[in-house]
Amino acid sequence: MSEKLELVYEGKAKKLFQTENPNILWVEYLGQATALNGKKKDIIEGKGELNNKITSTIFERLHEKGIQTHFIKQISESEQLIEKMEMIPLEVVVRNIAAGSFTRRLAVEEGSVLPFPIVEFYYKEDALDDPFINDDHVKALNIATSEEIELLKKSALAINQALITIFKEINIRLVDFKLEFGKNVNGEIVLADEVSPDTCRLWDATTNERLDKDIYRKDLGDILPIYDEVLKRFESTK
Ligand code: C5P
């Protein structure tokens, strides 16, 4: 059994602790919701447990499909063990259907199916509000090399295909999502962070009901029953 040692990082939704193994971190998912880069913030008891369980399930299903992630195992309702990574400061967004900032920026109608999945990079820097950047910016800022950029895009698209299938099994359309990658001790680029209704836009495939954080962002209601619905659908396909 691993031991929970000192706090090494505290983010908006998770706390990371060192364990006795230098390559393994202990993650605690928090009952906190934020939007607008932390400007909107609320304590939502139970959200940490739901996101921990949903992310654990998704990472397990990605592993079954041959996709490597930092996830080791879920260890409690709100905690999991992960491989320690040197994080790449990028938010890699993949879009299948127009929504969110894409519709606002480009005046494309929400719900339009894109002709192919679009990959975008955002520089993960709270002080700058995570600005949209292109490949040249990523290279010029020494965030990643050309080869690494290609690998990030290829991985993001492969993960997209796997996630589309995983969500289709629970009658959900994967509209868009955000990924974060890190380098493990062997220098391999691996999927890290979380994949949950906080980081994906998920629409019911039959009714288009929103099953994700947009409910919180747009003050459309309580997110707990919505996230619980996503978890129940996963549990029904175990
Ligand atoms: O807001 P935008 O349309 O650019 O978001 C695209 C996708 O990335 C959405 O699924 C959203 O949940 C996710 N995202 C995120 N964290 C951010 C920004 C976006 O998980 N900081």
Side-chain angles (χ1 to χ4, degrees), residues 91 93 95 99-101 122 130 176-178 198-201 217:
E91 297 195 336
V93 168
R95 301 181 189 274
S101 68
Y122 293 82
D130 304 336
D176 58 28
F177 56 97
K178 181 264 307 181
D198 267 9
T199 64
C200 302
R201 278 199 179 89
R217 291 190 189 101

Side-chain angles (χ1 to χ4, degrees), residues 55 73 96 186:
T55 293
K73 64 174 176 183
N96 296 304
N186 304 321

Side-chain angles (χ1 to χ4, degrees), residues 12 37 91-95 99-105 120 122 124 130 175-180 193 196-202 212-214 217:
K12 292 195 268 287
N37 195 20
E91 297 195 336
V92 181
V93 168
V94 182
R95 301 181 189 274
S101 68
F102 187 88
T103 53
R104 288 196 294 276
R105 196 152 34 88
E120 297 173 348
Y122 293 82
K124 197 172 156 64
D130 304 336
V175 173
D176 58 28
F177 56 97
K178 181 264 307 181
L179 302 174
E180 293 183 30
D193 196 52
S196 72
D198 267 9
T199 64
C200 302
R201 278 199 179 89
L202 306 171
D212 58 60
K213 194 171 152 184
D214 271 353
R217 291 190 189 101

